[in-house]
Amino acid sequence: MTQRVLILGIGNVLWADEGFGVRAVEELARRWKFPDHVTLLDGGTQGLYLLPFLEEADVLLVFDAVDYGLEPGTIKVVEDDEVPRFMGAKKMSLHQTGFQDVIATAQLMDQCPEKLCLIGVQPVELEDYGGGLRPLVAERIAPAIEIALDYLARHGVTAEPGQSAADLLADPAILRDAYEAGRPSEEEACRTGDARFFPAGA
């Protein structure tokens, strides 16, 4: 029986390197075409809304920015039972706790994919609202994709050069090139929050 594969990018593209996972799956879809039993999904910060996708998958491959406590830009790969532990060990934002809950819920329902793989990168910068990926993290997209392709090949999935369906990815308006080209500069717009609510004299 053909294994159903879910390739998932999670994170928040509004907070600099937090968007690594989403941008990685976006680039994977732009450059590679997969068989029909493989689904590519921009999971963003959707949390438990992702549960139905996990329930349908036999193999789950996740791209994410993860605080492993390593040097910025470091790629670390964990598999199977280690994945839930690393998703919540050092939480950077609400989406990590949310996705750890998704995996735990799927396991409780006996609907969790049999094989799990997390390809994570140590972020450089997170406190930049409206900022894009830092160059060091952006450079890790290509090697992360190579790791993913090798992992998928070990599970019988062969990708071909081309493009994958984009119906489960971000709207074109917030794909990386459009988003980064259209955002205001730091001089034009505050990038650490809403300046109207900063304490006086801060």
Side-chain angles (χ1 to χ4, degrees):
M1 182 179 295
T2 301
Q3 294 189 106
R4 297 163 298 179
V5 178
L6 174 62
I7 304 173
L8 179 65
I10 57 177
N12 190 335
V13 298
L14 298 179
W15 287 102
D17 292 335
E18 249 273 306
F20 170 79
V22 171
R23 298 313 189 196
V25 78
E26 173 187 310
E27 181 67 7
L28 186 67
R30 189 179 72 84
R31 293 177 48 206
W32 296 94
K33 181 175 177 58
F34 291 90
D36 291 341
H37 64 279
V38 177
T39 299
L40 277 69
L41 173 64
D42 169 1
T45 59
Q46 295 181 62
L48 289 172
Y49 288 103
L50 298 173
L51 189 59
F53 292 95
L54 267 68
E55 292 174 351
E56 295 178 355
D58 302 301
V59 178
L60 171 64
L61 173 63
V62 181
F63 293 100
D64 193 15
V66 180
D67 189 354
Y68 292 114
L70 302 173
E71 286 294 314
T74 301
I75 295 175
K76 183 177 177 64
V77 182
V78 295
E79 297 186 24
D80 301 328
D81 292 342
E82 287 190 309
V83 171
R85 180 165 62 89
F86 277 98
M87 289 303 307
K90 200 168 182 183
K91 182 170 70 72
M92 297 188 306
S93 68
L94 293 175
H95 90 262
Q96 287 192 338
T97 297
F99 194 70
Q100 188 182 35
D101 290 342
V102 173
I103 294 176
T105 302
Q107 289 173 331
L108 284 172
M109 297 172 63
D110 198 25
Q111 295 289 333
C112 192
E114 181 180 347
K115 304 296 295 181
L116 304 174
C117 178
L118 168 63
I119 301 174
V121 68
Q122 181 75 34
V124 172
E125 178 61 65
L126 299 174
E127 300 300 321
D128 183 10
Y129 183 70
L133 299 182
R134 292 303 184 261
L136 181 60
V137 169
E139 289 170 3
R140 299 301 187 261
I141 290 177
I145 287 175
E146 290 302 316
I147 292 169
L149 294 174
D150 288 344
Y151 178 84
L152 293 167
R154 292 184 356 233
H155 291 85
V157 176
T158 301
E160 299 179 354
Q163 288 189 324
S164 295
D167 51 315
L168 295 177
L169 301 181
D171 185 274
I174 58 170
L175 293 178
R176 185 179 173 201
D177 288 346
Y179 173 77
E180 295 192 359
R183 74 175 188 268
S185 69
E186 293 183 60
E187 290 73 29
E188 296 173 302
C190 180
R191 298 266 283 271
T192 57
D194 191 329
R196 295 173 298 173
F197 299 97
F198 289 166

